[in-house]
Structures are given as structure tokens and as C-alpha cells.
Amino acid sequence: MSEKACDHHESDRRKIARRCCAGLLIFSFIFLVIILLIWSILQPRKPRFTLQDATIFNLNVSAPNVISTTVQVTVNSRNPNSKIGIYYDRMNVYATYHNQQITYYTVIPPVYQGHKDVNVWSPFIYGNNVPVAPYNGVALGQDKSNGAISLTIKINGRVRWKVGSFISGRYHLHITCPAYIPLGNSKNTGIVIGNAVKYQLSQSCSVNV
């Protein structure tokens, strides 16, 4: 085969490769535009979380800087979207007091939430002899004496959105639920359940995605 023929075949291969690359880029661009159009038309909204209640089994200060906690919380999540499903991927629940974590992480298993569906979780969160700043131990004791404690229940995890057969990448999910508990208050509305007291809260949570 002559050198001219080889050059001709090499030129043809380059043209085919360029056309394939151009076609792939155009297809990817069109696919991305379609996804963005669908996304903007459907207008996905964040899930809505509510802290329904908290059952206190234990919340004690055993030293100025040591707190032990056992609490069961009930949290519900509602998907407000009519055409978008939500995958919750491994969520961690824990409690804080004055911005300091006082329990370990409790894991909520992954779950899929359909259109307009509601999911309810009732995890136990606890921490035994958790060291805290001395002023927080003193403050917790004072709050109990005053008849009310303000905890914060936090949930961190990741979510994915499902539109038809398309599933998005993972997005960070941060949920903050204030829990004002009238613990130690003689006029509290808690319900005694065995060795625990259950408080109805119905508190809306802030959600960041």
C-alpha cells in the first residue's frame, strides 16, 4: 500500500473519531438540558420534618462536667413533592445542649420516601457519662431546677432525588429540631410511661439541603 493511501486512511479515522466525539458531546449536552428543564418544571421542594414528642428516660448531671442522657424522640418527615421521590441515605440523630453534643450518634437506616408520603422514626438517643464544658453541666442543673430544659435534636445525612427513572447525586441534609422540655416542672404536661416521661412537642424543624 502506498504512503498516500495510508495517509488517506489515517485522515478518515481522525474524521470519524472527531465526529464520534462531537456526537457524544452534543448528546450529553441535550441530555443535560432535558434534565435541567424537567428539574426546573417540577421545582423540587425540601422535605418537611416535625419533632412530635420526646420521652425522657434519663437526663442527669453526675458531675459538673459529666452528663448522662437517654431519650426517645419521634420525628416525622413529609415529602411535599407530587412527582419527586426522596432517597434518605443513612441519617445520624443526636442531641445537643447549648451547642454541645451530649449523646452519641444513632443511625436511621436508609429508606425511600414516595410522592407525598410520610415517614415516622422513633430512635433512642443516649450518652453515658459524656464529658461537657463545666458551665454546661451547671446550666443543665439550673434549668432542671427552673422547670424547663432546651435541647436540640439534630439529624445529619444525605438525600437523593428520584424523578421518573432518573436519580440525582447525593446532597447533604441537615435538620435542626428545637425541643423545649418542661422537665422538673410541677405543672408539666408530661405523660408518665413506666420509668419515663413523654412530652408532646409538635415542633417544626429547620431543614437545609
Side-chain angles (χ1 to χ4, degrees), residues 18 25 33 42 54 70 80 94 125 129 132 189:
R18 283 197 295 267
L25 288 173
V33 169
L42 293 176
T70 304
Y94 61 99
I125 50 179
N129 298 322
V132 297
T189 56

Side-chain angles (χ1 to χ4, degrees), residues 50-85:
T50 302
L51 177 62
Q52 292 184 338
D53 57 61
T55 303
I56 308 297
F57 290 84
N58 179 37
L59 185 54
N60 291 315
V61 181
S62 55
N65 64 331
V66 176
I67 294 177
S68 293
T69 310
T70 304
V71 181
Q72 184 182 23
V73 296
T74 301
V75 180
N76 74 49
S77 167
R78 179 177 180 272
N79 178 4
N81 299 289
S82 59
K83 297 181 181 179
I84 299 176

Side-chain angles (χ1 to χ4, degrees), residues 124-137:
F124 280 87
I125 50 179
Y126 66 94
N128 294 321
N129 298 322
V130 176
V132 297
Y135 57 82
N136 275 341

